[in-house]
Each structure stands twice: as structure tokens, then as C-alpha cells.
Amino acid sequence: MCKQIKVNPYLKTTYIQPGTNLEQIRNTLSVVAALLATITFATGFTLPGGLNSDTGEALLAKKAAFLVFLLADVYAMCTSMFVLFCLVWSMVLEPNMGLLLVDRSVYILMQSLYATLLAFVAGIYTVKSHSSLWAAILIFVMCSFIRISANRTILRKVIAKLIP
């Protein structure tokens, strides 16, 4: 029966249902991924705390929060670039594999968004923790709330309670 209706029974997607307009989803995902790649690329060269004018080394390079910022920023850039590569490949593969690549790209793009949020929090903490720790902690709590509420299961429960 699966051969007659041309459906792969082993194709398990999480975010995108078979029969969806992949072109529109690809376009949207590629814009978001390209914007994230651009932001994280630029952030990697405008380091928090600035650079030493004599050596060119980052002033806050020895702080652990700076390393978290740097690793999160690199991870966000790499995953957003990987999404762009997956979306390009999804255009030339057979439809089932293209659907699977686009579906996985949504998950990878979410990882990139989370890493961008972590890089932001780590950058703020790196710069502000010594002068106003309370502000850095407040920003951390706010961003953590965004990360927790972005979970699809939690978001569905909240929306179900808000909208009767």
C-alpha cells in the first residue's frame, strides 16, 4: 500500500508533515539561518570587553564566562551554517530525503537559537558581573525563562491554559 501511494513507511518527521509546501519552509528557514550566521559571525569579532590595542588579545580572555561566550557563539554559527547546507541539499535530493533534511534542519536551527541566547547571556555576564552582579543575574534569569518557555511541550500547555 505504501508503494501505491508513494509514502516511505520509515520516514518519521517531528516538525514537518508529509505533503507540506517545502519550498516556503525552506525559504523561511534559510532566511533565519542566514541571519543567525551573520549575527554570530559579527559577534565573534566584536568581543565583549574589547581587545588589547598592543597585542590584539581579548581583554577578558582568561574569564570562564568569556570562554562560554566564545564556544556558544561558535556553536551557533556552525549550526546555522549547517542548516543552510542541509537546506541546499534538500533541494536536490529525492522528496522523502529532502523532507527529512528540512525536518532535521528545524531542530538544528533551534539549537542555534539556544546557543545564540547562551552566547548573549555569557557575554553580558562577562562584562557586567564585576560591576553589577544583580543585573547579570536578572538577565540570566530572563533568558533562562525564554529558553524554558520555548520548549514545544511547555508552550503548548501554556497556550492551552491561556486560550480556552
Side-chain angles (χ1 to χ4, degrees), residues 73-138:
D73 189 60
V74 168
Y75 181 75
M77 192 192 77
C78 290
T79 51
S80 59
M81 291 299 294
F82 185 62
V83 166
L84 289 171
F85 287 126
C86 286
L87 293 173
V88 167
W89 279 110
S90 74
M91 290 188 260
V92 296
L93 292 175
E94 68 178 63
N96 284 340
M97 287 304 294
L99 176 68
L100 197 58
L101 266 179
V102 172
D103 185 69
R104 297 305 186 262
S105 293
V106 173
Y107 176 76
I108 297 167
L109 192 58
M110 289 301 294
Q111 296 299 311
S112 181
L113 286 167
Y114 296 149
T116 304
L117 191 60
L118 178 63
F120 173 76
V121 170
I124 293 292
Y125 184 81
T126 302
V127 175
K128 294 305 270 177
S129 64
H130 63 280
S131 63
S132 58
L133 184 60
W134 69 269
I137 291 172
L138 181 65

